[in-house]
Amino acid sequence: MITSRLTSKSQTTIPQPIRAALHLKEGDALAYRIEDGCVILSRADPVIDDPFATFDEWNGEADRKAYAGL
């Protein structure tokens, strides 16, 4: 079992084996989920800065050519 301690400011260091397993680096966001009395720690989904990045409707080659100069 891997452990860490809580500081007086309610902070802890994520142990290196956990950081390695989750491929964490400085600045990464973490997500916490509570299930059956246990806390599950995972990488948080990255925040998409471009709200249109998820739209695939205009992601074809013809669209890229048509809108390349904008």
Side-chain angles (χ1 to χ4, degrees), residues 29 31 42-48:
S42 61
R43 290 176 64 114
D45 292 331
V47 176
I48 299 174

Side-chain angles (χ1 to χ4, degrees), residues 1-67:
M1 177 181 292
I2 300 169
T3 63
S4 65
R5 294 189 183 269
L6 196 63
T7 69
S8 61
K9 294 182 178 182
S10 297
Q11 298 172 334
T12 189
T13 299
I14 308 295
Q16 193 282 329
I18 304 300
R19 294 192 314 266
L22 294 177
H23 306 287
L24 295 173
K25 59 186 181 308
E26 183 178 339
D28 285 345
L30 302 173
Y32 300 87
R33 187 173 68 243
I34 301 172
E35 288 185 9
D36 300 323
C38 295
V39 175
I40 299 171
L41 171 69
S42 61
R43 290 176 64 114
D45 292 331
V47 176
I48 299 174
D49 291 335
D50 180 3
F52 298 103
T54 58
F55 293 133
D56 292 330
E57 294 87 5
W58 301 298
N59 195 21
E61 183 62 31
D63 297 311
R64 284 191 288 278
K65 286 181 182 177
Y67 299 113

